[in-house]
Structure formats: structure tokens, C-alpha cells
Amino acid sequence: MVTIIDRTLTNLKTNEINSQDLNHFCDLLFNCGVTKIELTSALVSQLKSPTLAGDANMLNHPGNFFLVQAVDPEHQKIWRLEPNELLEKSLPIDNFSSFHNQKIRLIGLDDLMTQDYPSFFSNLLNSGADTFDLCPGNHNYCATAIALEWLIAGGTSVSCQFASNHDFAPLEEVLMALKLHDSTLFSGDLSVLNELRCLYEKISNDRIAQNKAIIGTDIFKVESGIHVDGVLKNPQTYEPFNPQMVGNQREIVVGKHSGRQSILYKLKEQNLSETATRNLLKQIKGRCTQLGRNLSDWELRTLASEVQNDYKQKICC
């Protein structure tokens, strides 16, 4: 197993977070596979007692803390604090030095994927450091790949941030990559990610993009006719993993790109008659183009009723 450190809470404005949400957020992070949660002393003071066990003198530590899960003598899960003793460094790839017996967190390296990263990782692993945590920057959107390559190369610790857009490797992407690459490196339950996303948006007042990889609300919505036909026959043609794995679900939506298979599926889903499907498809495309968006289920039912009533009248005439 590898060590996954989450830095989300130390990089958010958490002045107004309440203890209940803080505890819940930490619970979800541990459930999804995080090993250590980085906290400031202010956040530690907001954790609800008696969840937190350990030495009270620990709070005199001047820097940040790591929250870890442990098991007490009665086999109950408890939380403990560790001082964050990692020394942050930004190391140029061509200026390597020895780190004998040091505890290092390496930051930056945004463009490492364009360089000889296997040799660089090998040098790090043989540097004699007591701990080497990699926290790659994400300004070139390569942090997830760098983190995964580091762990595959033999690295044992990475730092991430949930839903990170630029600064660090997105936690949810690293966890999913680990699960799909080698599940023996990972034991978390990713089905809590949807709940974690909702709570993150609440405490950060930051709306996560609907198309965000792994946790976006719309990434399993399917509209195009050929995509719907394919995903209904074999979900693996368009889905890299089961939506339920991340607490999401597949949704067929109707819009201007929908085809006959999409309409038949939606009519069957809502127990509507399949008569006049061709006329209904034309009406849907026209209505969606006019509105500039997809139709809701209620709008589809209304339109289907109108088209089918009109169809019956023409048959009678």
C-alpha cells in the first residue's frame, strides 16, 4: 500500500467551516482511500472531540499536522495527529543532490513528463532520504500522470488535492488511476466521491465543473444517438468505469443530437407509447434547438403527449 496525503483543507478558505462538516469531510477522505489528511492547527481545534485521540502537547507543534486513522485496543477506529515533518523543496531535474535521512516533500516538476522522469525517479529512490513525498504541480495538467508514474516506479508517497484545477494532482484522479492500474495498491471506496463532491462545494463555495473528470455531474450523461446505442449494448464502449463506482449513475438525455434509439429508450423508461416516434424525434430536435438545451423528462412527456394526440387525429381523419 502507498501513502496518499490530501492537502485540500490547507489550501481552502475554511474560516466558516463548522465542526460537523469538517469531521464529515475527513471521514469521507479516509473512506475513499486517503492515508493522511493535512490540517492547520486552527482546523485541528475545530475537530469534534472525542474523535481525536493522542498527546495534547502535540498541539504545540509550530507547523501543520497530519490526521491519520488508527485502531484502539478495543478495535475501534480513532483519529490521531502526527506533526508534518516534511521539508518542502523544489528540485531542478538536472541539479540533483543527496537527501540522506531527510523527510522531503518535492513540489513543482510541472513539465516532468516531457523529460527523463524514469532516471529522475531512480535517483530520488536511491538518494537515501528517509521519506520522499511527491507533490507534482498541475499547471501543465500532467500531475496525475506524474504521480502515478512515481508510484509505479517504486515511490511510496504522493500528496494531492481534491478537485484541484491547477495546483496539485487531483486526488480523485490519482485514486481512480491506482484502482484501475493495480487494485493491490489501493483499498478505498470511491463510491463516496459523489458525496465528497457535494460537501466540497458546500465548504468551499466553489462549483466543480460539470465535465470534471471522475467527479463531474454530467460525465455519464449520454445524448448522441450512436453513443446511446453503443452504451446500451455495451457500457464499456463509452464508459471507462462503472458510474456506480464513483457514486454516480448513467443518464440518457434527449437533445438535438438524439437519435431514434435514445427516444425509444426514454419513452420506455417513462412508460410512454412508442407510436409516432419519428414525428416526436423531429419535434424534439426543433424544440431543443429553439431552447438551446436538452429537454427535461417533464418536457419530454408533454411533447410526446402533444405529438401522439396529433398523430391519432391524423389517423382518424
Side-chain angles (χ1 to χ4, degrees), residues 219-239 250-253 257-262:
I219 61 173
F220 291 105
K221 288 185 177 178
V222 189
E223 176 189 337
S224 168
I226 190 171
H227 290 180
V228 170
D229 188 44
V231 81
L232 291 178
K233 290 175 179 172
N234 181 1
Q236 292 183 342
T237 54
Y238 290 107
E239 294 174 352
R250 182 185 312 122
E251 184 179 356
I252 307 298
V253 298
H257 300 297
S258 293
R260 186 171 181 273
Q261 289 300 327
S262 305

PDB file of all heavy atoms in Angstrom, residues 219-239 250-253 257-262:
ATOM      1  N   ILE A 219     -20.713  13.703 -16.505  1.00  0.00           N
ATOM      2  CA  ILE A 219     -19.814  12.875 -17.314  1.00  0.00           C
ATOM      3  C   ILE A 219     -20.440  11.557 -17.735  1.00  0.00           C
ATOM      4  O   ILE A 219     -19.913  10.887 -18.628  1.00  0.00           O
ATOM      5  CB  ILE A 219     -18.474  12.609 -16.587  1.00  0.00           C
ATOM      6  CG1 ILE A 219     -18.707  11.855 -15.280  1.00  0.00           C
ATOM      7  CG2 ILE A 219     -17.730  13.903 -16.350  1.00  0.00           C
ATOM      8  CD1 ILE A 219     -17.398  11.430 -14.608  1.00  0.00           C
ATOM      9  N   PHE A 220     -21.563  11.168 -17.128  1.00  0.00           N
ATOM     10  CA  PHE A 220     -22.229   9.937 -17.551  1.00  0.00           C
ATOM     11  C   PHE A 220     -23.576  10.222 -18.207  1.00  0.00           C
ATOM     12  O   PHE A 220     -24.418   9.337 -18.304  1.00  0.00           O
ATOM     13  CB  PHE A 220     -22.401   8.982 -16.359  1.00  0.00           C
ATOM     14  CG  PHE A 220     -21.101   8.419 -15.877  1.00  0.00           C
ATOM     15  CD1 PHE A 220     -20.534   8.877 -14.706  1.00  0.00           C
ATOM     16  CD2 PHE A 220     -20.430   7.449 -16.605  1.00  0.00           C
ATOM     17  CE1 PHE A 220     -19.325   8.374 -14.255  1.00  0.00           C
ATOM     18  CE2 PHE A 220     -19.219   6.938 -16.172  1.00  0.00           C
ATOM     19  CZ  PHE A 220     -18.663   7.404 -14.987  1.00  0.00           C
ATOM     20  N   LYS A 221     -23.790  11.469 -18.634  1.00  0.00           N
ATOM     21  CA  LYS A 221     -24.976  11.796 -19.408  1.00  0.00           C
ATOM     22  C   LYS A 221     -24.676  11.541 -20.886  1.00  0.00           C
ATOM     23  O   LYS A 221     -23.637  11.972 -21.400  1.00  0.00           O
ATOM     24  CB  LYS A 221     -25.379  13.257 -19.193  1.00  0.00           C
ATOM     25  CG  LYS A 221     -25.979  13.514 -17.813  1.00  0.00           C
ATOM     26  CD  LYS A 221     -26.465  14.945 -17.690  1.00  0.00           C
ATOM     27  CE  LYS A 221     -27.121  15.158 -16.311  1.00  0.00           C
ATOM     28  NZ  LYS A 221     -27.570  16.557 -16.131  1.00  0.00           N
ATOM     29  N   VAL A 222     -25.576  10.833 -21.564  1.00  0.00           N
ATOM     30  CA  VAL A 222     -25.360  10.458 -22.953  1.00  0.00           C
ATOM     31  C   VAL A 222     -26.509  10.992 -23.788  1.00  0.00           C
ATOM     32  O   VAL A 222     -27.677  10.772 -23.455  1.00  0.00           O
ATOM     33  CB  VAL A 222     -25.272   8.924 -23.107  1.00  0.00           C
ATOM     34  CG1 VAL A 222     -24.833   8.561 -24.518  1.00  0.00           C
ATOM     35  CG2 VAL A 222     -24.321   8.339 -22.087  1.00  0.00           C
ATOM     36  N   GLU A 223     -26.194  11.700 -24.876  1.00  0.00           N
ATOM     37  CA  GLU A 223     -27.238  12.296 -25.724  1.00  0.00           C
ATOM     38  C   GLU A 223     -27.189  11.772 -27.158  1.00  0.00           C
ATOM     39  O   GLU A 223     -28.208  11.402 -27.735  1.00  0.00           O
ATOM     40  CB  GLU A 223     -27.094  13.819 -25.742  1.00  0.00           C
ATOM     41  CG  GLU A 223     -28.080  14.510 -26.681  1.00  0.00           C
ATOM     42  CD  GLU A 223     -27.765  15.989 -26.844  1.00  0.00           C
ATOM     43  OE1 GLU A 223     -27.112  16.564 -25.965  1.00  0.00           O
ATOM     44  OE2 GLU A 223     -28.167  16.562 -27.862  1.00  0.00           O
ATOM     45  N   SER A 224     -25.986  11.757 -27.738  1.00  0.00           N
ATOM     46  CA  SER A 224     -25.848  11.398 -29.148  1.00  0.00           C
ATOM     47  C   SER A 224     -26.428  10.020 -29.440  1.00  0.00           C
ATOM     48  O   SER A 224     -26.236   9.067 -28.675  1.00  0.00           O
ATOM     49  CB  SER A 224     -24.366  11.422 -29.529  1.00  0.00           C
ATOM     50  OG  SER A 224     -24.167  10.830 -30.782  1.00  0.00           O
ATOM     51  N   GLY A 225     -27.127   9.901 -30.561  1.00  0.00           N
ATOM     52  CA  GLY A 225     -27.792   8.651 -30.906  1.00  0.00           C
ATOM     53  C   GLY A 225     -26.857   7.465 -30.967  1.00  0.00           C
ATOM     54  O   GLY A 225     -27.118   6.411 -30.384  1.00  0.00           O
ATOM     55  N   ILE A 226     -25.701   7.616 -31.632  1.00  0.00           N
ATOM     56  CA  ILE A 226     -24.777   6.487 -31.777  1.00  0.00           C
ATOM     57  C   ILE A 226     -24.149   6.117 -30.435  1.00  0.00           C
ATOM     58  O   ILE A 226     -23.895   4.948 -30.148  1.00  0.00           O
ATOM     59  CB  ILE A 226     -23.684   6.818 -32.833  1.00  0.00           C
ATOM     60  CG1 ILE A 226     -22.889   5.544 -33.162  1.00  0.00           C
ATOM     61  CG2 ILE A 226     -22.764   7.932 -32.346  1.00  0.00           C
ATOM     62  CD1 ILE A 226     -21.946   5.736 -34.333  1.00  0.00           C
ATOM     63  N   HIS A 227     -23.929   7.134 -29.568  1.00  0.00           N
ATOM     64  CA  HIS A 227     -23.377   6.853 -28.239  1.00  0.00           C
ATOM     65  C   HIS A 227     -24.390   6.106 -27.380  1.00  0.00           C
ATOM     66  O   HIS A 227     -24.040   5.158 -26.670  1.00  0.00           O
ATOM     67  CB  HIS A 227     -22.967   8.157 -27.554  1.00  0.00           C
ATOM     68  CG  HIS A 227     -21.770   8.793 -28.178  1.00  0.00           C
ATOM     69  ND1 HIS A 227     -21.224   9.977 -27.721  1.00  0.00           N
ATOM     70  CD2 HIS A 227     -21.002   8.417 -29.229  1.00  0.00           C
ATOM     71  CE1 HIS A 227     -20.174  10.289 -28.464  1.00  0.00           C
ATOM     72  NE2 HIS A 227     -20.028   9.372 -29.395  1.00  0.00           N
ATOM     73  N   VAL A 228     -25.654   6.516 -27.458  1.00  0.00           N
ATOM     74  CA  VAL A 228     -26.692   5.840 -26.682  1.00  0.00           C
ATOM     75  C   VAL A 228     -26.824   4.398 -27.138  1.00  0.00           C
ATOM     76  O   VAL A 228     -26.906   3.465 -26.324  1.00  0.00           O
ATOM     77  CB  VAL A 228     -28.045   6.576 -26.834  1.00  0.00           C
ATOM     78  CG1 VAL A 228     -29.174   5.748 -26.227  1.00  0.00           C
ATOM     79  CG2 VAL A 228     -27.969   7.940 -26.171  1.00  0.00           C
ATOM     80  N   ASP A 229     -26.840   4.194 -28.442  1.00  0.00           N
ATOM     81  CA  ASP A 229     -26.958   2.833 -28.975  1.00  0.00           C
ATOM     82  C   ASP A 229     -25.792   1.971 -28.482  1.00  0.00           C
ATOM     83  O   ASP A 229     -25.985   0.828 -28.059  1.00  0.00           O
ATOM     84  CB  ASP A 229     -26.968   2.899 -30.509  1.00  0.00           C
ATOM     85  CG  ASP A 229     -27.288   1.546 -31.117  1.00  0.00           C
ATOM     86  OD1 ASP A 229     -28.223   0.874 -30.624  1.00  0.00           O
ATOM     87  OD2 ASP A 229     -26.605   1.150 -32.079  1.00  0.00           O
ATOM     88  N   GLY A 230     -24.583   2.552 -28.511  1.00  0.00           N
ATOM     89  CA  GLY A 230     -23.411   1.796 -28.085  1.00  0.00           C
ATOM     90  C   GLY A 230     -23.402   1.505 -26.599  1.00  0.00           C
ATOM     91  O   GLY A 230     -23.137   0.374 -26.184  1.00  0.00           O
ATOM     92  N   VAL A 231     -23.718   2.500 -25.797  1.00  0.00           N
ATOM     93  CA  VAL A 231     -23.627   2.318 -24.346  1.00  0.00           C
ATOM     94  C   VAL A 231     -24.724   1.395 -23.826  1.00  0.00           C
ATOM     95  O   VAL A 231     -24.534   0.706 -22.813  1.00  0.00           O
ATOM     96  CB  VAL A 231     -23.678   3.689 -23.627  1.00  0.00           C
ATOM     97  CG1 VAL A 231     -25.098   4.206 -23.468  1.00  0.00           C
ATOM     98  CG2 VAL A 231     -22.982   3.624 -22.265  1.00  0.00           C
ATOM     99  N   LEU A 232     -25.876   1.353 -24.525  1.00  0.00           N
ATOM    100  CA  LEU A 232     -26.928   0.432 -24.107  1.00  0.00           C
ATOM    101  C   LEU A 232     -26.571  -1.015 -24.459  1.00  0.00           C
ATOM    102  O   LEU A 232     -26.938  -1.944 -23.743  1.00  0.00           O
ATOM    103  CB  LEU A 232     -28.256   0.811 -24.770  1.00  0.00           C
ATOM    104  CG  LEU A 232     -28.886   2.133 -24.294  1.00  0.00           C
ATOM    105  CD1 LEU A 232     -30.163   2.433 -25.056  1.00  0.00           C
ATOM    106  CD2 LEU A 232     -29.170   2.090 -22.798  1.00  0.00           C
ATOM    107  N   LYS A 233     -25.837  -1.199 -25.566  1.00  0.00           N
ATOM    108  CA  LYS A 233     -25.415  -2.548 -25.945  1.00  0.00           C
ATOM    109  C   LYS A 233     -24.233  -3.021 -25.113  1.00  0.00           C
ATOM    110  O   LYS A 233     -24.160  -4.179 -24.712  1.00  0.00           O
ATOM    111  CB  LYS A 233     -25.048  -2.573 -27.429  1.00  0.00           C
ATOM    112  CG  LYS A 233     -26.254  -2.417 -28.353  1.00  0.00           C
ATOM    113  CD  LYS A 233     -25.816  -2.333 -29.806  1.00  0.00           C
ATOM    114  CE  LYS A 233     -27.041  -2.208 -30.724  1.00  0.00           C
ATOM    115  NZ  LYS A 233     -26.657  -1.941 -32.136  1.00  0.00           N
ATOM    116  N   ASN A 234     -23.283  -2.121 -24.870  1.00  0.00           N
ATOM    117  CA  ASN A 234     -22.100  -2.462 -24.071  1.00  0.00           C
ATOM    118  C   ASN A 234     -21.552  -1.191 -23.437  1.00  0.00           C
ATOM    119  O   ASN A 234     -20.878  -0.405 -24.099  1.00  0.00           O
ATOM    120  CB  ASN A 234     -21.027  -3.111 -24.952  1.00  0.00           C
ATOM    121  CG  ASN A 234     -19.799  -3.511 -24.145  1.00  0.00           C
ATOM    122  OD1 ASN A 234     -19.750  -3.332 -22.921  1.00  0.00           O
ATOM    123  ND2 ASN A 234     -18.800  -4.037 -24.828  1.00  0.00           N
ATOM    124  N   PRO A 235     -21.821  -0.957 -22.149  1.00  0.00           N
ATOM    125  CA  PRO A 235     -21.392   0.290 -21.493  1.00  0.00           C
ATOM    126  C   PRO A 235     -19.894   0.559 -21.606  1.00  0.00           C
ATOM    127  O   PRO A 235     -19.470   1.718 -21.584  1.00  0.00           O
ATOM    128  CB  PRO A 235     -21.795   0.058 -20.033  1.00  0.00           C
ATOM    129  CG  PRO A 235     -22.912  -0.919 -20.092  1.00  0.00           C
ATOM    130  CD  PRO A 235     -22.587  -1.826 -21.252  1.00  0.00           C
ATOM    131  N   GLN A 236     -19.085  -0.489 -21.753  1.00  0.00           N
ATOM    132  CA  GLN A 236     -17.637  -0.288 -21.796  1.00  0.00           C
ATOM    133  C   GLN A 236     -17.184   0.414 -23.077  1.00  0.00           C
ATOM    134  O   GLN A 236     -16.032   0.847 -23.167  1.00  0.00           O
ATOM    135  CB  GLN A 236     -16.914  -1.629 -21.666  1.00  0.00           C
ATOM    136  CG  GLN A 236     -17.084  -2.257 -20.291  1.00  0.00           C
ATOM    137  CD  GLN A 236     -16.319  -3.548 -20.136  1.00  0.00           C
ATOM    138  OE1 GLN A 236     -15.929  -4.167 -21.126  1.00  0.00           O
ATOM    139  NE2 GLN A 236     -16.095  -3.967 -18.914  1.00  0.00           N
ATOM    140  N   THR A 237     -18.086   0.525 -24.099  1.00  0.00           N
ATOM    141  CA  THR A 237     -17.697   1.219 -25.326  1.00  0.00           C
ATOM    142  C   THR A 237     -17.478   2.705 -25.079  1.00  0.00           C
ATOM    143  O   THR A 237     -16.678   3.341 -25.775  1.00  0.00           O
ATOM    144  CB  THR A 237     -18.769   1.054 -26.413  1.00  0.00           C
ATOM    145  OG1 THR A 237     -20.038   1.475 -25.881  1.00  0.00           O
ATOM    146  CG2 THR A 237     -18.862  -0.381 -26.877  1.00  0.00           C
ATOM    147  N   TYR A 238     -18.204   3.290 -24.091  1.00  0.00           N
ATOM    148  CA  TYR A 238     -18.072   4.726 -23.845  1.00  0.00           C
ATOM    149  C   TYR A 238     -17.784   5.071 -22.395  1.00  0.00           C
ATOM    150  O   TYR A 238     -17.590   6.237 -22.077  1.00  0.00           O
ATOM    151  CB  TYR A 238     -19.356   5.450 -24.291  1.00  0.00           C
ATOM    152  CG  TYR A 238     -19.527   5.472 -25.784  1.00  0.00           C
ATOM    153  CD1 TYR A 238     -20.473   4.670 -26.403  1.00  0.00           C
ATOM    154  CD2 TYR A 238     -18.711   6.274 -26.585  1.00  0.00           C
ATOM    155  CE1 TYR A 238     -20.615   4.667 -27.783  1.00  0.00           C
ATOM    156  CE2 TYR A 238     -18.844   6.280 -27.960  1.00  0.00           C
ATOM    157  CZ  TYR A 238     -19.808   5.481 -28.552  1.00  0.00           C
ATOM    158  OH  TYR A 238     -19.933   5.485 -29.911  1.00  0.00           O
ATOM    159  N   GLU A 239     -17.814   4.089 -21.499  1.00  0.00           N
ATOM    160  CA  GLU A 239     -17.576   4.377 -20.080  1.00  0.00           C
ATOM    161  C   GLU A 239     -16.293   3.697 -19.623  1.00  0.00           C
ATOM    162  O   GLU A 239     -16.193   2.474 -19.678  1.00  0.00           O
ATOM    163  CB  GLU A 239     -18.762   3.887 -19.239  1.00  0.00           C
ATOM    164  CG  GLU A 239     -20.045   4.656 -19.525  1.00  0.00           C
ATOM    165  CD  GLU A 239     -21.241   4.051 -18.794  1.00  0.00           C
ATOM    166  OE1 GLU A 239     -21.090   2.954 -18.204  1.00  0.00           O
ATOM    167  OE2 GLU A 239     -22.313   4.662 -18.829  1.00  0.00           O
ATOM    168  N   ARG A 250     -25.606   6.452 -14.785  1.00  0.00           N
ATOM    169  CA  ARG A 250     -25.747   6.776 -16.202  1.00  0.00           C
ATOM    170  C   ARG A 250     -27.108   7.427 -16.442  1.00  0.00           C
ATOM    171  O   ARG A 250     -28.111   7.067 -15.837  1.00  0.00           O
ATOM    172  CB  ARG A 250     -25.633   5.505 -17.027  1.00  0.00           C
ATOM    173  CG  ARG A 250     -25.707   5.722 -18.532  1.00  0.00           C
ATOM    174  CD  ARG A 250     -25.699   4.391 -19.253  1.00  0.00           C
ATOM    175  NE  ARG A 250     -24.632   3.545 -18.745  1.00  0.00           N
ATOM    176  CZ  ARG A 250     -24.821   2.329 -18.223  1.00  0.00           C
ATOM    177  NH1 ARG A 250     -26.030   1.827 -18.150  1.00  0.00           N
ATOM    178  NH2 ARG A 250     -23.807   1.625 -17.770  1.00  0.00           N
ATOM    179  N   GLU A 251     -27.123   8.446 -17.323  1.00  0.00           N
ATOM    180  CA  GLU A 251     -28.383   9.112 -17.642  1.00  0.00           C
ATOM    181  C   GLU A 251     -28.471   9.363 -19.145  1.00  0.00           C
ATOM    182  O   GLU A 251     -27.584   9.985 -19.729  1.00  0.00           O
ATOM    183  CB  GLU A 251     -28.493  10.440 -16.887  1.00  0.00           C
ATOM    184  CG  GLU A 251     -29.820  11.141 -17.093  1.00  0.00           C
ATOM    185  CD  GLU A 251     -29.927  12.447 -16.326  1.00  0.00           C
ATOM    186  OE1 GLU A 251     -28.987  12.773 -15.576  1.00  0.00           O
ATOM    187  OE2 GLU A 251     -30.950  13.137 -16.487  1.00  0.00           O
ATOM    188  N   ILE A 252     -29.526   8.858 -19.769  1.00  0.00           N
ATOM    189  CA  ILE A 252     -29.777   9.131 -21.177  1.00  0.00           C
ATOM    190  C   ILE A 252     -30.604  10.409 -21.255  1.00  0.00           C
ATOM    191  O   ILE A 252     -31.683  10.502 -20.645  1.00  0.00           O
ATOM    192  CB  ILE A 252     -30.549   7.976 -21.844  1.00  0.00           C
ATOM    193  CG1 ILE A 252     -29.839   6.643 -21.607  1.00  0.00           C
ATOM    194  CG2 ILE A 252     -30.729   8.250 -23.339  1.00  0.00           C
ATOM    195  CD1 ILE A 252     -28.461   6.551 -22.197  1.00  0.00           C
ATOM    196  N   VAL A 253     -30.100  11.408 -21.957  1.00  0.00           N
ATOM    197  CA  VAL A 253     -30.824  12.675 -22.081  1.00  0.00           C
ATOM    198  C   VAL A 253     -31.219  12.881 -23.541  1.00  0.00           C
ATOM    199  O   VAL A 253     -30.574  12.351 -24.457  1.00  0.00           O
ATOM    200  CB  VAL A 253     -29.979  13.868 -21.593  1.00  0.00           C
ATOM    201  CG1 VAL A 253     -29.646  13.725 -20.128  1.00  0.00           C
ATOM    202  CG2 VAL A 253     -28.699  13.996 -22.409  1.00  0.00           C
ATOM    203  N   HIS A 257     -29.057  16.262 -30.585  1.00  0.00           N
ATOM    204  CA  HIS A 257     -28.199  15.232 -31.161  1.00  0.00           C
ATOM    205  C   HIS A 257     -28.771  13.832 -30.955  1.00  0.00           C
ATOM    206  O   HIS A 257     -28.135  12.846 -31.325  1.00  0.00           O
ATOM    207  CB  HIS A 257     -26.805  15.296 -30.533  1.00  0.00           C
ATOM    208  CG  HIS A 257     -26.116  16.609 -30.735  1.00  0.00           C
ATOM    209  ND1 HIS A 257     -25.769  17.088 -31.979  1.00  0.00           N
ATOM    210  CD2 HIS A 257     -25.747  17.572 -29.845  1.00  0.00           C
ATOM    211  CE1 HIS A 257     -25.195  18.273 -31.854  1.00  0.00           C
ATOM    212  NE2 HIS A 257     -25.175  18.596 -30.578  1.00  0.00           N
ATOM    213  N   SER A 258     -29.949  13.728 -30.339  1.00  0.00           N
ATOM    214  CA  SER A 258     -30.522  12.419 -30.044  1.00  0.00           C
ATOM    215  C   SER A 258     -30.942  11.705 -31.327  1.00  0.00           C
ATOM    216  O   SER A 258     -31.261  12.326 -32.332  1.00  0.00           O
ATOM    217  CB  SER A 258     -31.729  12.567 -29.118  1.00  0.00           C
ATOM    218  OG  SER A 258     -31.331  13.034 -27.852  1.00  0.00           O
ATOM    219  N   GLY A 259     -30.950  10.368 -31.227  1.00  0.00           N
ATOM    220  CA  GLY A 259     -31.401   9.538 -32.328  1.00  0.00           C
ATOM    221  C   GLY A 259     -32.589   8.690 -31.901  1.00  0.00           C
ATOM    222  O   GLY A 259     -33.093   8.805 -30.781  1.00  0.00           O
ATOM    223  N   ARG A 260     -33.026   7.813 -32.818  1.00  0.00           N
ATOM    224  CA  ARG A 260     -34.217   7.007 -32.559  1.00  0.00           C
ATOM    225  C   ARG A 260     -34.048   6.116 -31.333  1.00  0.00           C
ATOM    226  O   ARG A 260     -34.985   5.955 -30.549  1.00  0.00           O
ATOM    227  CB  ARG A 260     -34.512   6.153 -33.803  1.00  0.00           C
ATOM    228  CG  ARG A 260     -35.808   5.369 -33.730  1.00  0.00           C
ATOM    229  CD  ARG A 260     -36.144   4.734 -35.068  1.00  0.00           C
ATOM    230  NE  ARG A 260     -37.401   3.994 -35.001  1.00  0.00           N
ATOM    231  CZ  ARG A 260     -37.477   2.733 -34.613  1.00  0.00           C
ATOM    232  NH1 ARG A 260     -36.374   2.090 -34.295  1.00  0.00           N
ATOM    233  NH2 ARG A 260     -38.642   2.124 -34.557  1.00  0.00           N
ATOM    234  N   GLN A 261     -32.831   5.540 -31.149  1.00  0.00           N
ATOM    235  CA  GLN A 261     -32.617   4.660 -30.000  1.00  0.00           C
ATOM    236  C   GLN A 261     -32.776   5.420 -28.678  1.00  0.00           C
ATOM    237  O   GLN A 261     -33.301   4.885 -27.703  1.00  0.00           O
ATOM    238  CB  GLN A 261     -31.217   4.036 -30.073  1.00  0.00           C
ATOM    239  CG  GLN A 261     -31.056   2.999 -31.170  1.00  0.00           C
ATOM    240  CD  GLN A 261     -32.013   1.824 -31.000  1.00  0.00           C
ATOM    241  OE1 GLN A 261     -32.341   1.430 -29.889  1.00  0.00           O
ATOM    242  NE2 GLN A 261     -32.486   1.300 -32.123  1.00  0.00           N
ATOM    243  N   SER A 262     -32.313   6.677 -28.668  1.00  0.00           N
ATOM    244  CA  SER A 262     -32.449   7.479 -27.442  1.00  0.00           C
ATOM    245  C   SER A 262     -33.919   7.709 -27.120  1.00  0.00           C
ATOM    246  O   SER A 262     -34.344   7.595 -25.960  1.00  0.00           O
ATOM    247  CB  SER A 262     -31.765   8.844 -27.626  1.00  0.00           C
ATOM    248  OG  SER A 262     -30.440   8.703 -28.002  1.00  0.00           O
TER     249      SER A 262
END
